[in-house]
Amino acid sequence: MHEWQQWMYKNAYVVPTTGTYSITAVNSKITGWSLKPSADVWYEAGFSKN
């Protein structure tokens, strides 16, 4: 166990705890969009021509 701990300390600098990430691409013409969990974006989101 001690040898494994030494190997991890020397070789595995960062051990990921999750393998997921999130990417949200939103056009600059989208209005009312929010990533807040409490936001109900489906009826507040819209599209602007400008």
Side-chain angles (χ1 to χ4, degrees):
M1 178 69 176
H2 293 288
E3 290 177 16
W4 179 81
Q5 287 177 333
Q6 288 177 349
W7 182 88
M8 286 294 288
Y9 181 76
K10 291 178 185 176
N11 298 313
Y13 179 71
V14 175
V15 177
T17 57
T18 62
T20 63
Y21 57 91
S22 175
I23 297 175
T24 303
V26 178
N27 189 316
S28 63
K29 294 181 181 181
I30 301 296
T31 61
W33 179 261
S34 176
L35 292 176
K36 293 179 183 178
S38 62
D40 191 3
V41 297
W42 296 116
Y43 75 89
E44 294 178 0
F47 183 78
S48 104
K49 291 183 179 181
N50 296 334

